[in-house]
């Protein structure tokens, strides 16, 4: 077996993708060790899945942080190395019809949360960060502090649609509403946009005329559990 890579994971919910990656790693199907699981959401069952597998966990409670930011953000609350102009120029998450004030609030509040994530992660030696159902976008503040080698992507995400179709939060819902006859999932690297980074792997499934949204989600998740470990192995093989 090749040298194992250290993988950090971030989740927001049930963690069935995390479980698939834990299983593949414990069964030596991939050359990867999971070194931590972080969540933006306290009390989710994905954290229990990690703890059961003896993986260290932490929570950065985004909702709490964002609510507190809504009461006002002082410069002292921001990370010392936060540069609003730089992040604003790089970011491709918020469109031009959003006011400057809203964009600034979004970037500042997320950077405050992201700094806490980075602090928690800093104690681990990590080759790859895997977003396994992490339902928060990441700003250039965070991305630039993980992707420190130019041209080398180190953050992977799974998206519940065949990108570039149906980016956003409801890939299977959008696939269903559009009446697609094929659905799928995509693993891609994270760049400054939402679901726009280079594609690593995809899996498709057929949608029958009488399939419900729940059928589509079930078919899709099954494909995700196969695809994610494979893409992590592809990354490990590329090092
Ligand atoms: C998956 O469908 C994933 O594609 C999406 O959120 C869902 C997470 O499921 N981003 P789980 O937490 O891995 O069970």
């Amino acid at each position: 077996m090749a040298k194992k890579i250290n993988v950090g994971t971030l989740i927001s919910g049930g963690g069935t993708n995390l479980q698939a990656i834990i299983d593949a790693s414990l069964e030596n199907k991939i050359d990867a060790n999971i070194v931590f699981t972080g969540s933006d959401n306290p009390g989710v069952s994905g954290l229990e899945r990690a703890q059961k597998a003896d993986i260290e966990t932490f929570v950065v409670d985004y909702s709490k942080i964002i609510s507190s930011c809504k009461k006002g953000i002082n410069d002292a609350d921001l990370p010392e190395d936060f540069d609003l102009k730089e992040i604003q120029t790089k970011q491709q998450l918020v469109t031009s019809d959003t006011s400057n004030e809203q964009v600034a609030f979004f970037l500042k509040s997320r950077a405050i949360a992201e700094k806490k994530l980075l602090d928690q992660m800093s104690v681990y030696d990590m080759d790859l960060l895997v977003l396994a159902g992490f339902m928060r976008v990441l700003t250039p503040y965070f991305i630039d502090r993980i992707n420190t080698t130019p041209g080398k992507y180190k953050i992977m995400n799974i998206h519940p649609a065949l990108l570039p179709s149906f980016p956003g939060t409801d890939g299977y819902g959008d696939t269903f509403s559009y009446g697609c006859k094929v659905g799928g999932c995509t693993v891609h690297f994270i760049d400054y946009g939402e679901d726009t980074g280079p594609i690593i792997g995809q899996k498709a499934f057929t949608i029958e005329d009488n399939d419900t949204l729940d059928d589509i989600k079930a078919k899709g998740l099954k494909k995700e559990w196969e695809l994610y470990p494979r893409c992590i192995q592809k990354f490990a093989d590329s090092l």
Side-chain angles (χ1 to χ4, degrees), residues 42-227:
V44 292
S45 52
L47 287 168
E48 284 167 34
R49 291 178 187 272
Q51 284 151 6
K52 248 191 205 148
D54 279 334
I55 297 166
E56 291 185 29
T57 61
F58 60 81
V59 174
V60 173
D61 190 337
Y62 264 59
S63 298
K64 220 172 174 180
I65 293 166
I66 294 166
S67 304
S68 133
C69 286
K70 283 185 181 153
K71 293 180 195 140
I73 301 177
N74 298 316
D75 280 353
D77 302 331
L78 293 165
E80 266 176 30
D81 56 354
F82 178 78
D83 179 339
L84 180 61
K85 276 233 169 73
E86 183 204 338
I87 311 290
Q88 220 159 358
T89 311
K90 288 179 174 171
Q91 73 86 22
Q92 294 161 25
L93 297 165
V94 187
T95 51
S96 52
D97 56 0
T98 313
S99 75
N100 277 348
E101 208 177 303
Q102 281 172 313
V103 176
F105 174 80
F106 172 76
L107 295 174
K108 286 180 181 178
S109 56
R110 289 335 179 259
I112 290 171
E114 289 173 349
K115 171 74 169 109
K116 293 190 194 305
L117 279 181
L118 290 164
D119 285 347
Q120 293 279 359
M121 289 163 50
S122 65
V123 296
Y124 301 98
D125 183 23
M126 181 186 78
D127 300 299
L128 173 69
L129 180 63
V130 162
L131 310 181
F134 183 65
M135 304 304 283
R136 301 282 178 179
V137 291
L138 293 168
T139 76
Y141 176 76
F142 182 91
I143 295 168
D144 286 355
R145 280 153 187 80
I146 301 294
N147 291 343
T148 46
T149 311
K152 290 241 187 287
Y153 293 98
K154 278 178 67 179
I155 313 173
M156 249 183 218
N157 182 44
I158 188 146
H159 181 74
L162 289 172
L163 292 173
S165 291
F166 309 127
T169 50
D170 192 18
Y172 293 136
D174 293 340
T175 302
F176 176 68
S177 306
Y178 201 89
C180 295
K181 299 302 167 208
V182 173
C185 52
T186 304
V187 172
H188 64 97
F189 285 117
I190 290 288
D191 66 2
Y192 295 148
E194 188 175 3
D195 304 322
T196 51
I199 290 175
I200 304 157
Q202 291 185 303
K203 264 188 178 281
F205 55 87
T206 302
I207 299 172
E208 306 298 342
D209 288 341
N210 56 353
D211 274 351
T212 62
L213 175 56
D214 281 345
D215 294 328
I216 291 176
K217 283 186 180 164
K219 285 183 183 182
L221 271 174
K222 230 170 142 192
K223 295 288 178 192
E224 292 185 30
W225 305 332
E226 293 167 18
L227 180 65

